[in-house]
Amino acid sequence: MTSVPTPIPSRTQYVLEEIKRRILTGRLTPGQALVETDLAAQFGVSKTPVREALKTLAGTGLVVMSQYKGVTVRMVDVDMAREVCDVRLLLEPEALRRAVRRGASLDAARDALTRADEATDTAERSLTNREFHRALYLPCGNPLLGRMLDEVRDQAALVSTVAWAADPSWEREASEHREILALALAGDADGAARALHAHIASFVRRAFPGAELGAGEGPEVQDIPEAPATPATPATPAAPAAQKEDGQA
């Protein structure tokens, strides 16, 4: 029996989204303490929704809960950047390839890219960058693959936020985004996947020179085949109906 997720109360959801937004736009910096009483006063709520929100954020990897240090925004180092990048290199280009091959709409990616070009501050650019990448992998046709990438989405955004604070490279990445989208819209699934792979790898190498990428480092993106259809049962004179059903599987 499939369990139904318990809805997050509205106050907790509000606090959760606001803390996340502040982290991913640089208002709350890595290592900064997150004190329940202070946050509750800022948001005009009790400590309970703050506590629940922080637990959720700890589960997504944005904050760290320690018995001795309390709750802090997660620090970003070379190891974290490498781990997040490895996951993205293995999964994200393949998800984009599948989205292009199935002719999925990329209007959301186009809209995010337009809003990023029109953004007037780093906070808006950061948020639209996240939306652009998600719009590329989400229509891949495999909900599990999309959820797996969603699980590292916030951590990837935190890595980017820290990197941009040290070296704003919006123009270069915006140009790479335009190239990726142009290839995808032209129906070049492999070319778009390769461009996305190169985009992710080059970003982490520039921002974290000590990061040694793993299996996803190569110049070519491994083509993970689609799950094959169930082989048709050989036809026999006695069971023509079964042959037809198997052939449709």
Side-chain angles (χ1 to χ4, degrees):
M1 180 176 180
T2 302
S3 61
V4 178
T6 303
I8 299 177
S10 58
R11 289 188 178 182
T12 301
Q13 187 67 42
Y14 163 71
V15 173
L16 170 66
E17 294 301 327
E18 183 59 24
I19 295 175
K20 180 191 294 188
R21 187 183 68 81
R22 293 184 183 188
I23 292 173
L24 298 181
T25 57
R27 287 185 60 187
L28 294 172
T29 57
Q32 183 171 343
L34 301 175
V35 182
E36 289 182 8
T37 52
D38 293 346
L39 292 171
Q42 290 178 35
F43 299 133
V45 298
S46 68
K47 290 195 298 182
T48 299
V50 174
R51 184 178 303 115
E52 293 304 314
L54 292 176
K55 287 180 181 178
T56 300
L57 291 170
T60 65
L62 283 184
V63 307
V64 177
M65 306 185 84
S66 169
Q67 180 179 356
Y68 304 103
K69 295 182 179 180
V71 184
T72 57
V73 179
R74 183 173 182 177
M75 295 292 294
V76 175
D77 56 18
V78 171
D79 287 340
M80 176 196 174
R82 174 181 51 77
E83 290 169 3
V84 172
C85 185
D86 273 351
V87 173
R88 294 183 67 198
L89 286 174
L90 288 168
L91 299 181
E92 200 167 328
E94 177 60 26
L96 173 59
R97 178 192 280 112
R98 294 186 179 202
V100 175
R101 284 180 176 172
R102 66 194 298 263
S105 172
L106 296 174
D107 288 346
R110 195 202 314 261
D111 292 344
L113 190 56
T114 299
R115 285 187 284 110
D117 289 339
E118 296 172 349
T120 58
D121 56 52
T122 57
E124 181 63 20
R125 289 192 186 100
S126 177
L127 294 174
T128 53
N129 178 73
R130 295 173 71 233
E131 293 171 10
F132 174 78
H133 278 274
R134 189 169 192 259
L136 294 180
Y137 68 70
L138 203 60
C140 67
N142 184 329
L144 178 58
L145 179 55
R147 289 196 297 272
M148 291 172 69
L149 282 163
D150 270 351
E151 287 184 6
V152 298
R153 180 176 176 231
D154 288 343
Q155 294 180 55
L158 180 58
V159 169
S160 297
T161 298
V162 171
W164 287 325
D167 178 24
S169 52
W170 301 106
E171 290 303 322
R172 175 170 179 168
E173 280 136 36
S175 176
E176 293 172 356
H177 284 175
R178 285 190 284 270
E179 177 189 3
I180 293 166
L181 184 59
L183 289 167
L185 292 174
D188 186 351
D190 292 334
R194 284 192 294 270
L196 178 58
H197 186 280
H199 166 69
I200 297 170
S202 64
F203 174 79
V204 79
R205 288 195 188 99
R206 290 195 309 270
F208 301 90
E212 296 181 2
L213 304 181
E217 185 180 3
E220 297 293 330
V221 183
Q222 182 180 6
D223 190 0
I224 303 173
E226 302 281 355
T230 303
T233 302
T236 62
Q243 177 191 8
K244 180 177 180 181
E245 289 180 358
D246 289 341
Q248 292 175 339

